[in-house]
Amino acid sequence: MLTSVEIIKASGISRATLNNYIALGLLPRPIVSTPASDAQTRARQIGYFPEETVARIERIRLLKKEGIPMSDIARQLQLEGFEMSQSQTVEAPQSKAVLPAAAPETGPLRLTIDQVPYSAYMVNYNLELTWYNEEARSLLLGSFDKLPADTKERGVLDYFARGAYGGYLENREAFYRLHLQMGRERVAAALGNVGVTAALAGVASTSSSPIAELPLGLRATDGREEYYRVYASYFREGILVIYAHENAGAHGLLGLLERRDEVIRNLLKKRLPVLTDVAVMVADLQNSVRICSELPPEEYFELINQIWATMEPIFRRYYGTHGKHVGDGMVYYFFPQPDCNYIVNALHCAQEMREAMRKISKEWQLRKNWLNELFLNTGLNEGHEWLGVFHAETKVEFTVLGDTINHAARLSDFARHGAVWATKNLLGKLSVDERKRVRFGVKRQDRDGREVFVNASYSRVSELIDLNSPRYEKLVDIAALAITEIVEVEG
């Protein structure tokens, strides 16, 4: 069995050409296995090919010189007895687990993310890697061992600069330009942070389309030009980028990208836990048990669905990501964005939710002729925490672990009558100018027992409630937390 490196060295073809031959069905997919103990590589898995692969590549080269179209070469090889079974199982050297290659397609090709024979990766809108396949790691991204835990250290532009193509300035600028074209509105700030030259100004954005097709030319280490068609598919969670060699047919690629729900679900399942800055919002319906008991079941479900349907566009507008919550409340995460402050996003989102909830409450008061007021009590916090996913077969849920979400949930329990409470830590992450646009403070009692609002102030939880009361038993763990009430956020 031969590795891809051995094949490239023996045949003289590039890795892009090797991937292209696999995509066209001229070569079988490699058998993926852990490398032998004496292998000179840091890779966790290696693709192995049959010994006759080099001879097959040489025959392909001769047939191309004769002017035979690539679409006919596979048929010619079969006639000459060069057929290689895709389903053959050959033991890889000292492998722990050999995965058999896929059987040849007999009908319309239906690719999955695992089967894409091209370099592919996904980045968030800060251009930080969240997923990649082996082809991208070895061809474009510098053959690293594994990604660091912190998202801030996962910049795709930095990884490209360390790779084989990154040695040429013209390649780096072409790579930067490609990502600028993918979504100028969202990623221009991220590109600006790595010193993009003035020559990149004026590049048109293509991010208005759910799938963009872009050309890319790169100079290989031997001086030859390699040309790709790059497909960018846009999701709320980021951009999926696939590099197809110019001679390769789409081979089901566009069909795969059109199955958007399936693609993003599979990608999120493969996403490894990362450390990231995050603002957490937890909102719960006040007196939900009593409201549920007063309404017929179908009306209670109607109410909850109306709340969710009303809030969803608000969350989307401020780039909120739905998290896991037990019951009929909601958890949303706000992550750093290249073109806006994620903490400001969380504050604006909470304020708009409060206004939307007032309208829903009035609507149901008129409808039911009752005196109940509906409130969403909201807690906000910010921190640097682990983000991961819990997934079943058809569902993926983002989950943040740590005190950040626990404290936000406790603040939601503390809040009453639709109030929005936030930690001092969260507001402390705002700039002076940003904080000036937020009206916040704490209500205190003066000497006469009257309630007075003290602007731009904080208080520990223990000073606002009687923690000896059984009612506040679950707030004991945030007794020393400094908090404040968010009254208004200016646009």
Side-chain angles (χ1 to χ4, degrees), residues 285 291 303 306-307 310-311 353-376:
L285 181 64
I291 293 171
L303 170 62
Q306 180 183 355
I307 293 173
T310 302
M311 303 308 171
M353 286 172 55
R354 182 167 52 194
E355 295 301 318
M357 198 65 199
R358 287 172 181 164
K359 295 178 181 178
I360 294 175
S361 179
K362 291 183 182 300
E363 177 184 327
W364 279 79
Q365 283 177 332
L366 291 173
R367 171 176 170 176
K368 298 296 294 183
N369 195 29
W370 63 3
L371 299 178
N372 289 335
E373 286 194 65
L374 303 175
F375 298 109
L376 272 182

mmCIF file of all heavy atoms in Angstrom, residues 285 291 303 306-307 310-311 353-376:
data_model
loop_
_atom_site.group_PDB
_atom_site.id
_atom_site.type_symbol
_atom_site.label_atom_id
_atom_site.label_comp_id
_atom_site.label_asym_id
_atom_site.label_seq_id
_atom_site.Cartn_x
_atom_site.Cartn_y
_atom_site.Cartn_z
ATOM 1 N N LEU A 285 -40.467 32.638 31.240
ATOM 2 C CA LEU A 285 -41.804 33.203 31.389
ATOM 3 C C LEU A 285 -42.194 33.199 32.862
ATOM 4 O O LEU A 285 -42.212 32.138 33.503
ATOM 5 C CB LEU A 285 -42.804 32.386 30.562
ATOM 6 C CG LEU A 285 -44.258 32.847 30.583
ATOM 7 C CD1 LEU A 285 -44.395 34.235 29.955
ATOM 8 C CD2 LEU A 285 -45.140 31.837 29.834
ATOM 9 N N ILE A 291 -49.923 30.116 34.683
ATOM 10 C CA ILE A 291 -50.519 30.429 33.377
ATOM 11 C C ILE A 291 -50.930 29.147 32.662
ATOM 12 O O ILE A 291 -52.008 29.065 32.060
ATOM 13 C CB ILE A 291 -49.527 31.243 32.523
ATOM 14 C CG1 ILE A 291 -49.307 32.623 33.147
ATOM 15 C CG2 ILE A 291 -50.038 31.393 31.088
ATOM 16 C CD1 ILE A 291 -48.185 33.408 32.510
ATOM 17 N N LEU A 303 -49.727 30.103 22.964
ATOM 18 C CA LEU A 303 -49.029 31.233 23.566
ATOM 19 C C LEU A 303 -47.510 31.047 23.484
ATOM 20 O O LEU A 303 -46.780 31.963 23.060
ATOM 21 C CB LEU A 303 -49.457 31.395 25.021
ATOM 22 C CG LEU A 303 -48.630 32.388 25.869
ATOM 23 C CD1 LEU A 303 -48.728 33.788 25.292
ATOM 24 C CD2 LEU A 303 -49.076 32.342 27.319
ATOM 25 N N GLN A 306 -46.285 31.388 20.017
ATOM 26 C CA GLN A 306 -46.317 32.781 19.581
ATOM 27 C C GLN A 306 -45.106 33.541 20.126
ATOM 28 O O GLN A 306 -44.497 34.343 19.415
ATOM 29 C CB GLN A 306 -47.611 33.456 20.053
ATOM 30 C CG GLN A 306 -47.706 34.925 19.618
ATOM 31 C CD GLN A 306 -48.953 35.609 20.143
ATOM 32 O OE1 GLN A 306 -49.815 34.977 20.770
ATOM 33 N NE2 GLN A 306 -49.077 36.901 19.886
ATOM 34 N N ILE A 307 -44.766 33.286 21.386
ATOM 35 C CA ILE A 307 -43.596 33.950 21.971
ATOM 36 C C ILE A 307 -42.334 33.576 21.200
ATOM 37 O O ILE A 307 -41.534 34.437 20.824
ATOM 38 C CB ILE A 307 -43.454 33.570 23.462
ATOM 39 C CG1 ILE A 307 -44.620 34.162 24.264
ATOM 40 C CG2 ILE A 307 -42.120 34.064 24.019
ATOM 41 C CD1 ILE A 307 -44.666 33.693 25.718
ATOM 42 N N THR A 310 -42.277 35.147 17.726
ATOM 43 C CA THR A 310 -42.038 36.590 17.783
ATOM 44 C C THR A 310 -40.583 36.893 18.088
ATOM 45 O O THR A 310 -40.002 37.848 17.533
ATOM 46 C CB THR A 310 -42.936 37.234 18.860
ATOM 47 O OG1 THR A 310 -44.310 36.954 18.565
ATOM 48 C CG2 THR A 310 -42.727 38.738 18.911
ATOM 49 N N MET A 311 -39.967 36.126 18.958
ATOM 50 C CA MET A 311 -38.593 36.401 19.373
ATOM 51 C C MET A 311 -37.550 35.933 18.363
ATOM 52 O O MET A 311 -36.458 36.504 18.284
ATOM 53 C CB MET A 311 -38.315 35.738 20.732
ATOM 54 C CG MET A 311 -39.260 36.168 21.848
ATOM 55 S SD MET A 311 -39.367 37.972 22.001
ATOM 56 C CE MET A 311 -40.726 38.129 23.162
ATOM 57 N N MET A 353 -36.821 42.243 22.948
ATOM 58 C CA MET A 353 -37.669 41.157 23.450
ATOM 59 C C MET A 353 -38.654 41.680 24.494
ATOM 60 O O MET A 353 -39.821 41.279 24.514
ATOM 61 C CB MET A 353 -36.802 40.058 24.063
ATOM 62 C CG MET A 353 -36.048 39.195 23.086
ATOM 63 S SD MET A 353 -34.907 38.096 23.946
ATOM 64 C CE MET A 353 -36.011 37.257 25.076
ATOM 65 N N ARG A 354 -38.182 42.557 25.377
ATOM 66 C CA ARG A 354 -39.052 43.101 26.418
ATOM 67 C C ARG A 354 -40.211 43.886 25.804
ATOM 68 O O ARG A 354 -41.366 43.750 26.231
ATOM 69 C CB ARG A 354 -38.226 44.003 27.340
ATOM 70 C CG ARG A 354 -39.016 44.602 28.492
ATOM 71 C CD ARG A 354 -38.071 45.219 29.520
ATOM 72 N NE ARG A 354 -37.137 46.148 28.885
ATOM 73 C CZ ARG A 354 -36.042 46.620 29.481
ATOM 74 N NH1 ARG A 354 -35.735 46.218 30.694
ATOM 75 N NH2 ARG A 354 -35.251 47.469 28.853
ATOM 76 N N GLU A 355 -39.914 44.686 24.762
ATOM 77 C CA GLU A 355 -40.970 45.445 24.093
ATOM 78 C C GLU A 355 -41.948 44.513 23.380
ATOM 79 O O GLU A 355 -43.166 44.719 23.410
ATOM 80 C CB GLU A 355 -40.350 46.433 23.101
ATOM 81 C CG GLU A 355 -39.512 47.517 23.750
ATOM 82 C CD GLU A 355 -40.320 48.342 24.730
ATOM 83 O OE1 GLU A 355 -41.475 48.673 24.415
ATOM 84 O OE2 GLU A 355 -39.795 48.644 25.831
ATOM 85 N N ALA A 356 -41.411 43.488 22.735
ATOM 86 C CA ALA A 356 -42.277 42.536 22.021
ATOM 87 C C ALA A 356 -43.190 41.799 22.994
ATOM 88 O O ALA A 356 -44.365 41.524 22.697
ATOM 89 C CB ALA A 356 -41.419 41.549 21.232
ATOM 90 N N MET A 357 -42.664 41.496 24.196
ATOM 91 C CA MET A 357 -43.457 40.767 25.174
ATOM 92 C C MET A 357 -44.598 41.633 25.702
ATOM 93 O O MET A 357 -45.690 41.113 26.011
ATOM 94 C CB MET A 357 -42.552 40.304 26.321
ATOM 95 C CG MET A 357 -43.155 39.193 27.141
ATOM 96 S SD MET A 357 -43.368 37.683 26.159
ATOM 97 C CE MET A 357 -44.573 36.824 27.189
ATOM 98 N N ARG A 358 -44.397 42.923 25.814
ATOM 99 C CA ARG A 358 -45.476 43.812 26.256
ATOM 100 C C ARG A 358 -46.640 43.777 25.271
ATOM 101 O O ARG A 358 -47.808 43.787 25.678
ATOM 102 C CB ARG A 358 -44.936 45.232 26.399
ATOM 103 C CG ARG A 358 -44.039 45.434 27.617
ATOM 104 C CD ARG A 358 -43.378 46.793 27.595
ATOM 105 N NE ARG A 358 -42.498 46.974 28.758
ATOM 106 C CZ ARG A 358 -41.571 47.906 28.858
ATOM 107 N NH1 ARG A 358 -41.410 48.774 27.855
ATOM 108 N NH2 ARG A 358 -40.812 47.998 29.931
ATOM 109 N N LYS A 359 -46.341 43.738 23.992
ATOM 110 C CA LYS A 359 -47.397 43.682 22.978
ATOM 111 C C LYS A 359 -48.151 42.357 23.053
ATOM 112 O O LYS A 359 -49.388 42.326 22.933
ATOM 113 C CB LYS A 359 -46.791 43.876 21.588
ATOM 114 C CG LYS A 359 -46.182 45.255 21.367
ATOM 115 C CD LYS A 359 -45.560 45.376 19.983
ATOM 116 C CE LYS A 359 -44.927 46.746 19.781
ATOM 117 N NZ LYS A 359 -44.279 46.866 18.448
ATOM 118 N N ILE A 360 -47.410 41.258 23.242
ATOM 119 C CA ILE A 360 -48.067 39.952 23.366
ATOM 120 C C ILE A 360 -48.975 39.936 24.592
ATOM 121 O O ILE A 360 -50.099 39.415 24.554
ATOM 122 C CB ILE A 360 -47.017 38.833 23.446
ATOM 123 C CG1 ILE A 360 -46.241 38.718 22.120
ATOM 124 C CG2 ILE A 360 -47.673 37.495 23.797
ATOM 125 C CD1 ILE A 360 -45.104 37.715 22.160
ATOM 126 N N SER A 361 -48.497 40.526 25.686
ATOM 127 C CA SER A 361 -49.284 40.546 26.916
ATOM 128 C C SER A 361 -50.590 41.303 26.725
ATOM 129 O O SER A 361 -51.665 40.821 27.142
ATOM 130 C CB SER A 361 -48.460 41.183 28.038
ATOM 131 O OG SER A 361 -49.195 41.232 29.241
ATOM 132 N N LYS A 362 -50.543 42.466 26.091
ATOM 133 C CA LYS A 362 -51.758 43.249 25.855
ATOM 134 C C LYS A 362 -52.723 42.491 24.951
ATOM 135 O O LYS A 362 -53.946 42.515 25.151
ATOM 136 C CB LYS A 362 -51.400 44.601 25.242
ATOM 137 C CG LYS A 362 -50.668 45.538 26.193
ATOM 138 C CD LYS A 362 -50.410 46.877 25.547
ATOM 139 C CE LYS A 362 -49.637 47.801 26.489
ATOM 140 N NZ LYS A 362 -50.361 48.065 27.750
ATOM 141 N N GLU A 363 -52.179 41.816 23.945
ATOM 142 C CA GLU A 363 -53.019 41.049 23.019
ATOM 143 C C GLU A 363 -53.787 39.961 23.766
ATOM 144 O O GLU A 363 -54.992 39.771 23.541
ATOM 145 C CB GLU A 363 -52.140 40.438 21.926
ATOM 146 C CG GLU A 363 -52.897 39.563 20.943
ATOM 147 C CD GLU A 363 -51.990 38.890 19.944
ATOM 148 O OE1 GLU A 363 -50.961 39.506 19.577
ATOM 149 O OE2 GLU A 363 -52.298 37.749 19.532
ATOM 150 N N TRP A 364 -53.121 39.244 24.682
ATOM 151 C CA TRP A 364 -53.784 38.172 25.407
ATOM 152 C C TRP A 364 -54.718 38.703 26.499
ATOM 153 O O TRP A 364 -55.705 38.051 26.839
ATOM 154 C CB TRP A 364 -52.740 37.207 25.982
ATOM 155 C CG TRP A 364 -52.263 36.235 24.935
ATOM 156 C CD1 TRP A 364 -51.345 36.469 23.952
ATOM 157 C CD2 TRP A 364 -52.730 34.905 24.740
ATOM 158 N NE1 TRP A 364 -51.186 35.365 23.161
ATOM 159 C CE2 TRP A 364 -52.020 34.379 23.627
ATOM 160 C CE3 TRP A 364 -53.646 34.088 25.405
ATOM 161 C CZ2 TRP A 364 -52.224 33.084 23.157
ATOM 162 C CZ3 TRP A 364 -53.849 32.791 24.945
ATOM 163 C CH2 TRP A 364 -53.150 32.307 23.829
ATOM 164 N N GLN A 365 -54.419 39.864 27.044
ATOM 165 C CA GLN A 365 -55.347 40.463 28.001
ATOM 166 C C GLN A 365 -56.671 40.806 27.328
ATOM 167 O O GLN A 365 -57.746 40.573 27.885
ATOM 168 C CB GLN A 365 -54.722 41.716 28.624
ATOM 169 C CG GLN A 365 -53.673 41.418 29.683
ATOM 170 C CD GLN A 365 -53.031 42.679 30.218
ATOM 171 O OE1 GLN A 365 -52.936 43.684 29.536
ATOM 172 N NE2 GLN A 365 -52.575 42.625 31.468
ATOM 173 N N LEU A 366 -56.600 41.353 26.104
ATOM 174 C CA LEU A 366 -57.819 41.667 25.361
ATOM 175 C C LEU A 366 -58.539 40.390 24.935
ATOM 176 O O LEU A 366 -59.766 40.295 24.987
ATOM 177 C CB LEU A 366 -57.473 42.509 24.128
ATOM 178 C CG LEU A 366 -56.981 43.933 24.407
ATOM 179 C CD1 LEU A 366 -56.509 44.592 23.114
ATOM 180 C CD2 LEU A 366 -58.104 44.754 25.037
ATOM 181 N N ARG A 367 -57.766 39.420 24.523
ATOM 182 C CA ARG A 367 -58.349 38.170 24.027
ATOM 183 C C ARG A 367 -59.049 37.388 25.136
ATOM 184 O O ARG A 367 -60.161 36.877 24.943
ATOM 185 C CB ARG A 367 -57.259 37.318 23.392
ATOM 186 C CG ARG A 367 -57.677 35.900 23.024
ATOM 187 C CD ARG A 367 -56.542 35.174 22.315
ATOM 188 N NE ARG A 367 -56.819 33.765 22.157
ATOM 189 C CZ ARG A 367 -56.035 32.918 21.499
ATOM 190 N NH1 ARG A 367 -54.926 33.374 20.929
ATOM 191 N NH2 ARG A 367 -56.350 31.639 21.392
ATOM 192 N N LYS A 368 -58.422 37.305 26.325
ATOM 193 C CA LYS A 368 -58.949 36.471 27.407
ATOM 194 C C LYS A 368 -59.734 37.274 28.442
ATOM 195 O O LYS A 368 -60.368 36.696 29.325
ATOM 196 C CB LYS A 368 -57.784 35.757 28.116
ATOM 197 C CG LYS A 368 -57.000 34.814 27.225
ATOM 198 C CD LYS A 368 -57.848 33.649 26.741
ATOM 199 C CE LYS A 368 -58.268 32.738 27.875
ATOM 200 N NZ LYS A 368 -59.041 31.564 27.384
ATOM 201 N N ASN A 369 -59.656 38.609 28.345
ATOM 202 C CA ASN A 369 -60.309 39.478 29.331
ATOM 203 C C ASN A 369 -59.833 39.146 30.743
ATOM 204 O O ASN A 369 -60.617 39.079 31.691
ATOM 205 C CB ASN A 369 -61.829 39.344 29.234
ATOM 206 C CG ASN A 369 -62.551 40.478 29.966
ATOM 207 O OD1 ASN A 369 -62.020 41.596 30.079
ATOM 208 N ND2 ASN A 369 -63.739 40.199 30.488
ATOM 209 N N TRP A 370 -58.526 38.885 30.871
ATOM 210 C CA TRP A 370 -57.962 38.598 32.175
ATOM 211 C C TRP A 370 -57.014 39.722 32.592
ATOM 212 O O TRP A 370 -56.678 40.609 31.814
ATOM 213 C CB TRP A 370 -57.256 37.235 32.209
ATOM 214 C CG TRP A 370 -56.050 37.100 31.288
ATOM 215 C CD1 TRP A 370 -55.499 38.048 30.485
ATOM 216 C CD2 TRP A 370 -55.244 35.933 31.115
ATOM 217 N NE1 TRP A 370 -54.418 37.564 29.820
ATOM 218 C CE2 TRP A 370 -54.221 36.256 30.190
ATOM 219 C CE3 TRP A 370 -55.262 34.650 31.644
ATOM 220 C CZ2 TRP A 370 -53.255 35.346 29.779
ATOM 221 C CZ3 TRP A 370 -54.299 33.748 31.243
ATOM 222 C CH2 TRP A 370 -53.307 34.086 30.315
ATOM 223 N N LEU A 371 -56.581 39.672 33.836
ATOM 224 C CA LEU A 371 -55.714 40.710 34.381
ATOM 225 C C LEU A 371 -54.251 40.280 34.421
ATOM 226 O O LEU A 371 -53.390 41.054 34.839
ATOM 227 C CB LEU A 371 -56.171 41.082 35.803
ATOM 228 C CG LEU A 371 -57.594 41.638 35.907
ATOM 229 C CD1 LEU A 371 -57.932 41.924 37.365
ATOM 230 C CD2 LEU A 371 -57.736 42.889 35.063
ATOM 231 N N ASN A 372 -53.977 39.045 34.012
ATOM 232 C CA ASN A 372 -52.594 38.567 34.008
ATOM 233 C C ASN A 372 -51.732 39.401 33.069
ATOM 234 O O ASN A 372 -52.152 39.749 31.956
ATOM 235 C CB ASN A 372 -52.532 37.110 33.558
ATOM 236 C CG ASN A 372 -53.087 36.172 34.597
ATOM 237 O OD1 ASN A 372 -53.092 36.486 35.780
ATOM 238 N ND2 ASN A 372 -53.577 35.018 34.162
ATOM 239 N N GLU A 373 -50.524 39.698 33.500
ATOM 240 C CA GLU A 373 -49.533 40.299 32.624
ATOM 241 C C GLU A 373 -48.458 39.255 32.342
ATOM 242 O O GLU A 373 -48.047 38.529 33.257
ATOM 243 C CB GLU A 373 -48.912 41.542 33.258
ATOM 244 C CG GLU A 373 -49.826 42.754 33.262
ATOM 245 C CD GLU A 373 -49.070 44.032 33.575
ATOM 246 O OE1 GLU A 373 -48.210 44.439 32.766
ATOM 247 O OE2 GLU A 373 -49.347 44.613 34.642
ATOM 248 N N LEU A 374 -48.037 39.193 31.101
ATOM 249 C CA LEU A 374 -47.023 38.225 30.700
ATOM 250 C C LEU A 374 -45.656 38.903 30.702
ATOM 251 O O LEU A 374 -45.481 39.966 30.106
ATOM 252 C CB LEU A 374 -47.332 37.664 29.307
ATOM 253 C CG LEU A 374 -48.706 37.006 29.145
ATOM 254 C CD1 LEU A 374 -48.932 36.594 27.698
ATOM 255 C CD2 LEU A 374 -48.823 35.796 30.076
ATOM 256 N N PHE A 375 -44.712 38.269 31.385
ATOM 257 C CA PHE A 375 -43.355 38.826 31.472
ATOM 258 C C PHE A 375 -42.332 37.759 31.111
ATOM 259 O O PHE A 375 -42.463 36.593 31.499
ATOM 260 C CB PHE A 375 -43.046 39.308 32.897
ATOM 261 C CG PHE A 375 -43.941 40.411 33.385
ATOM 262 C CD1 PHE A 375 -44.895 40.153 34.366
ATOM 263 C CD2 PHE A 375 -43.825 41.699 32.890
ATOM 264 C CE1 PHE A 375 -45.710 41.170 34.844
ATOM 265 C CE2 PHE A 375 -44.652 42.722 33.353
ATOM 266 C CZ PHE A 375 -45.589 42.461 34.328
ATOM 267 N N LEU A 376 -41.292 38.189 30.390
ATOM 268 C CA LEU A 376 -40.089 37.376 30.217
ATOM 269 C C LEU A 376 -39.011 37.981 31.108
ATOM 270 O O LEU A 376 -38.596 39.125 30.913
ATOM 271 C CB LEU A 376 -39.614 37.377 28.758
ATOM 272 C CG LEU A 376 -40.184 36.335 27.810
ATOM 273 C CD1 LEU A 376 -39.546 36.483 26.434
ATOM 274 C CD2 LEU A 376 -39.974 34.919 28.333
#
